[in-house]
């Protein structure tokens, strides 16, 4: 992975937008950080079917789209 990736990896974004996976990230952790609810991680998986075939396997420097989550 290149240096540009490592500078962006793990940086918080405001959904909707593109997030770069950091080492140690999980979909639950990404969801908890960006949506404040870890159990919403399936929203991220559904938004990225080509990048995530197994929700237990995401990789550093992988770019994921984080959709906006509606307010209840």
């Amino acid at each position: 992975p290149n240096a540009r990736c490592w500078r962006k990896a793990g940086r918080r974004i405001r959904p909707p937008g593109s997030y770069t996976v950091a080492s140690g990230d999980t979909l639950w952790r990404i969801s908890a950080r960006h949506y404040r609810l870890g159990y919403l991680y399936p929203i991220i998986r559904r938004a990225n079917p080509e990048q995530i075939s197994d929700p237990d396997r995401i990789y550093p420097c992988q770019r994921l789209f984080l959709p906006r989550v509606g307010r209840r």
Side-chain angles (χ1 to χ4, degrees):
N2 63 36
R4 184 174 177 207
C5 161
W6 293 117
R7 284 195 307 269
K8 288 186 154 200
R11 189 177 289 175
R12 191 174 200 166
I13 64 153
R14 175 172 282 167
S18 180
Y19 174 78
T20 303
V21 176
S23 180
D25 270 346
T26 64
L27 290 180
W28 183 283
R29 192 174 294 163
I30 294 167
S31 179
R33 184 168 189 207
H34 290 88
Y35 302 136
R36 298 183 188 205
L37 298 169
Y39 64 81
L40 293 179
Y41 77 89
I43 293 170
I44 300 170
R45 183 177 186 197
R46 282 193 301 270
N48 296 277
E50 293 181 13
Q51 291 92 331
I52 304 171
S53 58
D54 179 346
D56 293 325
R57 297 198 184 276
I58 59 172
Y59 302 96
C61 296
Q62 189 175 14
R63 289 183 53 161
L64 302 176
F65 175 71
L66 304 188
R68 184 184 320 266
V69 174
R71 301 275 182 215
R72 291 178 214 156

